[in-house]
Amino acid sequence: MNYRKDIRNIAIVAHVDHGKTTLVDALLKQSHVFRDNQNMGEFIMDSNDLEREKGITIMAKNTAVQYRDVKINIIDTPGHADFSGEVERVISMADGCLLLVDSVEGPMPQTKFVLRKAFEKGLKTIVVINKIDRERARIAEVLKATQDLFLELATDAEQLDFPVLYASAKKGTASTGLTPGKDISPIFECILSHVPPPQIENGPFQMLVSNLDYDNHKGKIAIGRIWRGKVAPRDHVVCLNADGGSTEWEIGEVFTHLGLSRFSVPEADAGDIVAVTGVEKVNIGDTIASPEQPESLPRIEVGEPTIEMTFAVNTSPFAGRESRSSTTRQLRDRLYRELETNLSLRVQDTDRPDTFLVKGRGELHLAILIETMRREGYEFEVSKPEAIVKEIDGKLMEPVESLAIETRDEFIGVLTEMLAKRQATMTDMRKDEKGDVHFEFRIPTKGLIGFRSAFLTATRGEGTMNTTFLGYEPRRGEIVSTRSGVLVASEEGKAFAYGLDIAQGRGLTFVEPGTMVYEGMIVGLNSRLNDIAVNVTRERKKTNVRASTKEMAIKLTPPLKMSLEQAIDFINKDELVEVTPLNIRLRKKLLTETQRLRVVGQERRAREDEE
């Protein structure tokens, strides 16, 4: 077996917000892949708008730097549990990984997940304790907790022998000891000395596709690691798919990565991570190989989704007014196209041709897809997320997750009460002398639906929560909704201050004067448990003694504006979120009050018949 000593392939993995992307920034800047006069800013790898807005990495990305005579291919991965499928998808390209751990928070649930995946792939691990310059850094305790995690997960004695570096990625420094370093070079040196070079198998070309991209001129771009042989433009190859079938293609161009750019090369050898064009019908997990020896590599395995919701064509009275992409065919094509790159996603047709069942890893996973489609100009409606229940050995089983919370001790009471109603069981709690508390709960996935918004409200923004999927357990009873009723518009038209003023006597409103509403649209939150129909289009009656400024004199409480994620959390099973490029609206599934009252009567009679 030969080795490519001029290459190292490494993935950077960690829990969310432990500094992966900031570390990649430091590695790129110190390797001088940018001109001196280029101001690249922060979070260089978080290239799309959603990643920058939310401050998290959503998609795994490839880059590379040159350090001395070695090219280091770097794979930046997401840290949020909802995007853990991205980690599973790309980690097979690496031979080693940098495991980042926050110097204050220590190992978190997602740290455990990514380390387990690294061990399963046999990656050589380097631990980087990051943010050592934080005021409340507890480096010794974090190192001890990390060692305990390795002891828990290791399947080989060699995995317990790992180097530890101490870094401040934001300052661009690292060191092998607690004394602050001068630059990031100790990480480069550790990669060269501890991450093994890629093994090279002799034989014809063979490459596993781990990512896809698209270019308007070049078409589909397949990205992956070459495991055997070499590839050059105009080479004839076969693409081996999941069904065992194969198609023949001719390679168009071959690219390698350096910094944020791809460079066309005349030839690429085994061990490198490349992007190739010309293979138009290819999916992630397929193998591209030489016709001389068309052998498939093991396909990428990704964990199952835990949350499902329906995506349907918009059926509101305002349908088609704010988008051109609103038909069943357009929605179906877009959802199934997403499956090409989003391995954690599942899409199924339903018995209704205009409705599709979409399954994902969590609320945020699906919310990002909805927001992406909205920005692309699509218009549709989505239902409340539900946990996926499956039958195992004749028993109904539901997904269960580990919930980790960091907050202030003054919120212990309200959080434990909220979580008890959501069938959560506390497994750990730690407090420090500064008033901070760390909780861990075991909670069914259905108990997490809608919890994030309630958590942020209860802690007044002074807390963080993270989850990790644990497995399936016997299904428990339903969780009773504690949400109040809603104010439902009874007429279509423009909302006026007079009508909204009357509605605000019932509760909070979601719309402002001048907003167009329709019958069945949710325009507020009732202060009581029942739903109420209100006419927010009502104007003050005109008289010959009415002042022209009377309508303007009404004092309204500012409306409550919800983000997409908050709207999805808010709705009940009989409600939908209408998503368009311009607006996010809440609505009842049945728009008229007569229809809703008829259903309520049918449900009441059914309960009486059972009794």
Side-chain angles (χ1 to χ4, degrees), residues 440-472:
E440 287 188 17
F441 292 86
R442 193 179 185 91
I443 182 171
T445 299
K446 66 187 178 189
L448 288 169
I449 296 174
F451 176 69
R452 188 176 297 274
S453 296
F455 168 77
L456 292 174
T457 302
T459 59
R460 300 195 289 272
E462 293 187 60
T464 59
M465 57 168 282
N466 296 283
T467 60
T468 302
F469 175 68
L470 295 176
Y472 281 84

Side-chain angles (χ1 to χ4, degrees), residues 36-96:
D36 291 339
N37 63 347
Q38 275 186 287
N39 182 16
M40 300 305 298
E42 297 180 335
F43 310 121
I44 299 169
M45 295 294 288
D46 287 346
S47 52
N48 69 48
D49 293 338
L50 272 176
E51 288 181 319
R52 290 188 174 274
E53 288 173 20
K54 294 186 176 293
I56 59 173
T57 301
I58 296 171
M59 300 291 292
K61 305 175 189 69
N62 295 85
T63 185
V65 299
Q66 193 79 25
Y67 184 74
R68 294 195 297 193
D69 297 327
V70 178
K71 180 183 180 182
I72 302 175
N73 287 310
I74 300 171
I75 307 161
D76 184 23
T77 65
H80 199 287
D82 283 19
F83 307 108
S84 52
E86 291 289 302
V87 180
E88 296 171 288
R89 174 171 65 82
V90 300
I91 204 170
S92 60
M93 290 191 285
D95 298 298

Side-chain angles (χ1 to χ4, degrees), residues 235-526:
D235 280 356
H236 289 276
V237 296
V238 292
C239 179
L240 309 169
N241 59 37
D243 300 327
S246 63
T247 53
E248 295 189 10
W249 302 92
E250 181 181 288
I251 296 294
E253 293 182 82
V254 180
F255 299 91
T256 60
H257 299 86
L258 187 64
L260 303 184
S261 304
R262 292 192 188 120
F263 293 91
S264 180
V265 294
E267 186 178 78
D269 295 321
D272 206 351
I273 295 173
V274 299
V276 298
T277 65
V279 186
E280 286 301 316
K281 293 184 179 179
V282 60
N283 294 308
I284 293 174
D286 290 353
T287 299
I288 302 175
S290 168
E292 300 174 21
Q293 198 171 332
E295 297 173 343
S296 292
L297 288 161
R299 295 193 69 83
I300 298 169
E301 295 184 4
V302 176
E304 297 182 4
T306 58
I307 291 285
E308 64 184 15
M309 62 195 305
T310 60
F311 285 49
V313 171
N314 189 10
T315 57
S316 86
F318 294 170
R321 296 186 184 182
E322 299 172 359
S323 169
R324 294 182 180 179
S325 300
S326 57
T327 67
T328 301
R329 180 187 60 79
Q330 290 169 325
L331 179 61
R332 187 181 193 279
D333 289 348
R334 177 61 182 85
L335 287 173
Y336 278 93
R337 189 167 71 247
E338 182 70 18
L339 297 178
E340 294 181 4
T341 55
N342 199 335
L343 290 194
S344 300
L345 199 73
R346 304 285 187 274
V347 178
Q348 296 176 6
D349 292 338
T350 66
D351 52 1
R352 295 177 55 190
D354 61 349
T355 303
F356 306 92
L357 186 64
V358 181
K359 303 178 181 182
R361 281 288 182 92
E363 285 180 276
L364 184 60
H365 184 202
L366 295 178
I368 290 294
L369 171 61
I370 295 168
E371 180 63 24
T372 301
M373 291 174 61
R374 185 177 82 87
R375 295 186 182 196
E376 291 173 358
Y378 288 86
E379 176 181 319
F380 50 99
E381 58 191 27
V382 297
S383 68
K384 182 179 181 63
E386 295 183 15
I388 297 173
V389 178
K390 59 198 297 187
E391 188 173 322
I392 302 176
D393 298 331
K395 295 182 180 179
L396 286 178
M397 309 288 278
E398 65 180 358
V400 177
E401 303 190 37
S402 171
L403 169 65
I405 291 175
E406 300 276 348
T407 187
R408 303 289 296 171
D409 58 5
E410 62 190 276
F411 305 120
I412 292 176
V414 64
L415 289 176
T416 51
E417 182 180 354
M418 288 170 56
L419 288 165
K421 294 177 181 178
R422 294 171 176 268
Q423 301 180 356
T425 304
M426 187 185 296
T427 57
D428 188 22
M429 184 179 79
R430 300 189 302 271
K431 294 174 61 177
D432 63 22
E433 65 280 359
K434 297 179 180 178
D436 294 326
V437 60
H438 172 84
F439 290 111
E440 287 188 17
F441 292 86
R442 193 179 185 91
I443 182 171
T445 299
K446 66 187 178 189
L448 288 169
I449 296 174
F451 176 69
R452 188 176 297 274
S453 296
F455 168 77
L456 292 174
T457 302
T459 59
R460 300 195 289 272
E462 293 187 60
T464 59
M465 57 168 282
N466 296 283
T467 60
T468 302
F469 175 68
L470 295 176
Y472 281 84
E473 291 183 355
R475 188 184 183 191
R476 310 183 203 177
E478 292 295 328
I479 296 174
V480 179
S481 173
T482 57
R483 195 201 75 181
S484 298
V486 291
L487 307 179
V488 186
S490 60
E491 302 285 341
E492 181 174 334
K494 183 186 293 185
F496 283 93
Y498 183 68
L500 288 170
D501 185 45
I502 296 173
Q504 287 191 348
R506 300 283 194 174
L508 294 170
T509 53
F510 298 159
V511 298
E512 57 192 4
T515 303
M516 296 299 296
V517 301
Y518 54 80
E519 182 182 6
M521 179 174 160
I522 297 172
V523 294
L525 178 66
N526 190 11

